[in-house]
Amino acid sequence: GTGIEAAVLRFKAGVEALSACLETVLPAAAAAQRNARIAALTAQAVSAEVATRIASLPILAQAPDIVQISERTGSSIADAALVHFAIDADFGLSELLTAAQGVPALDDYERMARDQAIEMINDAHRGLAIEAIGAGGVEKWMALRATETGQAKSTLAAIIASGLSLPKLMVAAGMLADL
């Protein structure tokens, strides 16, 4: 129906805009990972264009969140993406979410808890990006909230380093939601 068509059009433009600015919005580590994936694919005789598209897919999967950040703040896709990726890098959110996908869930309730924690992390990520844009950028926002963000970053790093479990994932999600 028209609701789905409107959503597709809304996010299609955001994906295209994000795709066009990836070279300039990714933090160094994420850009290096993407470039390494492109190099690995082209070494296997994949065309540069196809390799770039494949290597960009995990990043472009974040476009709906970036579109929502852009819409909520009135900022461009590029500016929203810069802040989104900076917060991801500063807090290790991609690493946390990747680890979260691998947390064992022994029954339906544990799966529901894991999925809810992942959704809480994604919601918190969007909220933090919106707040940072409102504060004038990630650096200004971090300076304004230095104590809380510093504690959260060190706790998240410790949780990830110690091996993620469902209780630790719930603690991480709750802490991010409370920021």
Side-chain angles (χ1 to χ4, degrees):
T2 56
I4 293 173
E5 290 170 13
V8 168
L9 289 174
R10 171 183 171 209
F11 291 115
K12 181 179 189 271
V15 170
E16 290 170 352
L18 179 59
S19 185
C21 68
L22 276 185
E23 298 289 329
T24 59
V25 299
L26 287 177
Q33 276 186 319
R34 178 174 170 258
N35 291 336
R37 181 77 175 128
I38 292 168
L41 289 167
T42 55
Q44 297 174 5
V46 175
S47 75
E49 180 184 344
V50 172
T52 300
R53 291 179 71 158
I54 290 170
S56 300
L57 284 174
I59 301 159
L60 294 176
Q62 298 175 63
D65 288 330
I66 293 167
V67 167
Q68 291 177 57
I69 294 163
S70 171
E71 289 173 350
R72 289 275 308 275
T73 61
S75 60
S76 69
I77 292 292
D79 289 343
L82 268 171
V83 171
H84 174 85
F85 292 129
I87 287 174
D88 181 351
D90 283 344
F91 287 93
L93 298 181
S94 286
E95 187 180 356
L96 177 63
L97 289 167
T98 298
Q101 295 294 339
V103 169
L106 303 178
D107 60 29
D108 288 342
Y109 296 109
E110 289 185 7
R111 268 188 292 288
M112 288 169 37
R114 181 186 60 204
D115 293 347
Q116 182 180 23
I118 290 168
E119 188 62 31
M120 285 173 66
I121 293 165
N122 286 322
D123 289 347
H125 188 180
R126 275 191 308 277
L128 296 175
I130 290 165
E131 190 178 319
I133 289 169
V138 175
E139 288 180 14
K140 287 182 181 177
W141 174 74
M142 292 276 217
L144 288 171
R145 311 236 0 239
T147 302
E148 303 101 308
T149 58
Q151 289 173 343
K153 284 163 58 170
S154 64
T155 302
L156 286 172
I159 286 172
I160 292 168
S162 69
L164 201 57
S165 63
L166 189 54
K168 290 177 190 176
L169 176 60
M170 296 301 294
V171 168
M175 184 182 53
L176 285 166
D178 290 344
L179 258 181

